[in-house]
Amino acid sequence: MLKKIPKLLSPELVRTLMEMGHGDELVLADANYPGHALHSRVLRADGIGIPRLLDAILELLPLDHYAPAQAAFMAVVEGDPTVPVIWDTYKEILTRHDPEVQVEYEERFDFYDRSKHSYAILITGEEALYGNIILKKGVISPEAGE
C-alpha cells in the first residue's frame, strides 16, 4: 500500500498510468466493450463502475490541454433512442478535476478504431449504454507544483 493512491486503482493500472506519455490515451470501457478484440494491452476492473474509476484516475492523471479535447465519449448510434445520462456524471467528474476540460464525441466505429491506437483499454463493470470514455494524458508543468 502507498499513501495518496486511490485504493480503487490496481497496481497494474497505476503502472500503466505511469508508463503513459503525453498524448497517450486510456480507454475506460463498459462491460460490453470488445476490448480484447481491439487491443493487446487490456486491464480489467470488473464490478467497478466508470464514475468511481474516472474520479480515482483523475486524481493522478493530468489531461492534455494541447489537444482540442481531453476526453471523448462514444456517440449514440443514429436512430438509437438511448439518452446516455451517464455522460452528465462523467462531465461533472471531469470538470471537478479540470474546469477547462473539453469533450468530443466519436462515432461508434471511429471510437473502436481510436481504441486500437490507445495506450491501453480498461474494461470495467460499467453497465450504462454508451458509457465508454477516452482520456488523453497531458503533462504536469513545473509551475503547477504537482
Side-chain angles (χ1 to χ4, degrees), residues 53-118:
L53 284 164
L54 178 61
D55 193 40
I57 288 168
L58 291 174
E59 287 291 325
L60 305 177
L61 187 78
L63 296 175
D64 187 358
H65 284 280
Y66 291 100
Q70 296 73 48
F73 298 162
M74 180 187 285
V76 176
V77 173
E78 188 174 329
D80 186 339
T82 300
V83 176
V85 295
I86 193 81
W87 290 354
D88 291 336
T89 302
Y90 293 171
K91 288 176 185 173
E92 185 275 321
I93 294 167
L94 286 161
T95 302
R96 185 166 16 95
H97 286 276
D98 187 336
E100 297 179 16
V101 70
Q102 296 295 312
V103 175
E104 60 189 343
Y105 300 84
E106 293 272 352
E107 183 274 333
R108 177 181 167 209
F109 291 104
D110 290 341
F111 194 98
Y112 289 158
D113 285 340
R114 189 168 170 181
S115 295
K116 291 176 186 177
H117 302 288
S118 68

